[in-house]
Amino acid sequence: MSARFSMRSIAAIVAAAGTLALGSGAAAHADTDKGTEKVLLQGETTASYFWDDGSGRAGDTGLPASGKPMQKGMAASPSWPLLTEGYVIYKGKKAPFFVGDRGPGVPSSKGIMLDLDGKTFADLTGGKFNPRTLMVDGNGGKGHIEVEYVITKWGDGLGLKNHPVAFSEGAYKRMDRNPAAPPVLAGDKADKKDEEKAVAGQSGSDKAEPVKTSPVKADPVNLVKAPAEPQPAAGGAEAAAATERSNVAGAAVAGGVILVGGGLVLGRERIRKLVRR
């Protein structure tokens, strides 16, 4: 195995491990921020408390309309469908609820749109639920608090799947087939912006960057002027043919002169021999 191949293999393994780590981190971040709940409705209202156990005490109006026994986590709504689920937030404290009864009645016309069970109300306000009187003690006399509500699941029955309205409007008797559009939360906006940035970055990386070339400065000392190549005369091929014929003729003339000169030398030698005889 060559050194280059080994280095490439190690780099590939490291890159793959980094990708898996980043993917796991992103998934963990998403789970931590959003959890498994989906926000369907969000708003604010005034909440009171109740405890209807059928005993007739403390304004008890009878057993809950849902048929479920009175319990911690049960709330009453003047307009939401029964068995709707969600939670309330009060001074940083979060408490889950499900709609199991109808109410408040007359108070809902004054903006009190949610009845929490007495035990949940006591936990939120720092008091204690009194099972004998069905009242909340030790919270400074608080009977109403301003809360933020969040709906995470709508019930399937009759009722308004939107911000609550007064009991007197009778919305709890009608089927709502057009629920409110889920709100766009700050976390969703941030995630969307991150996704848009990621897509934009990926698109930008697909574009090939132009190759930048550095200009090379010529060194005048090392420059040598090449001799100019002879350019063919006007006439092209005809001129070249004429030149070739001229060269052949010259060679023939030179050869004739050599032959004549040789003949002359031979003739002189013969004359000399005859005279000597």
Side-chain angles (χ1 to χ4, degrees):
M1 181 183 293
S2 65
R4 180 177 299 179
F5 179 78
S6 300
M7 292 301 293
R8 287 183 178 177
S9 301
I10 294 172
I13 293 171
V14 172
T19 301
L20 292 175
L22 289 174
S24 301
H29 176 74
D31 292 341
T32 301
D33 287 349
K34 293 185 177 180
T36 58
E37 296 175 330
K38 180 176 178 60
V39 176
L40 301 178
L41 187 70
Q42 186 177 31
E44 296 179 353
T45 190
T46 303
S48 56
Y49 71 91
F50 77 112
W51 193 269
D52 285 352
D53 60 0
S55 65
R57 294 174 293 168
D60 184 358
T61 58
L63 293 176
S66 64
K68 294 183 177 294
M70 189 68 209
Q71 58 190 282
K72 184 177 182 179
M74 178 183 285
S77 170
S79 59
W80 289 335
L82 294 174
L83 304 184
T84 291
E85 299 178 8
Y87 58 87
V88 294
I89 300 175
Y90 174 71
K91 292 185 177 181
K93 295 180 180 180
K94 178 180 175 181
F97 71 83
F98 73 94
V99 177
D101 202 1
R102 290 297 173 204
V106 174
S108 63
S109 299
K110 300 178 181 180
I112 302 172
M113 295 293 184
L114 187 62
D115 246 349
L116 299 173
D117 72 273
K119 293 181 179 181
T120 295
F121 194 91
D123 290 345
L124 290 173
T125 59
K128 184 176 181 180
F129 179 71
N130 188 331
R132 184 178 59 85
T133 63
L134 306 183
M135 303 295 289
V136 175
D137 301 330
N139 68 350
K142 291 184 179 68
H144 301 88
I145 56 176
E146 301 300 319
V147 298
E148 178 184 357
Y149 61 81
V150 175
I151 301 300
T152 58
K153 180 182 178 181
W154 291 116
D156 296 330
L158 303 177
L160 181 66
K161 298 177 181 178
N162 211 318
H163 295 288
V165 297
F167 185 83
S168 59
E169 294 192 21
Y172 63 92
K173 298 183 292 185
R174 298 189 292 270
M175 178 64 73
D176 187 357
R177 303 187 183 281
N178 187 28
V184 179
L185 304 180
D188 296 334
K189 292 180 180 179
D191 291 342
K192 187 174 182 180
K193 288 182 179 179
D194 291 340
E195 291 176 0
E196 291 176 352
K197 289 180 180 179
V199 171
Q202 185 176 2
S203 300
S205 62
D206 293 339
K207 298 179 180 179
E209 295 184 358
V211 179
K212 297 181 179 179
T213 57
S214 301
V216 179
K217 296 182 179 180
D219 188 356
V221 176
N222 296 328
L223 289 179
V224 178
K225 188 174 182 181
E229 295 183 0
Q231 300 295 327
E238 295 181 359
T243 303
E244 185 177 356
R245 289 194 297 269
S246 176
N247 292 337
V248 172
V253 172
V257 171
I258 293 172
L259 291 175
V260 172
L264 293 175
V265 170
L266 291 175
R268 288 179 181 177
E269 289 295 328
R270 287 184 178 181
I271 293 170
R272 289 178 179 175
K273 289 181 180 181
L274 290 174
V275 171
R276 289 177 182 176
R277 288 180 182 176

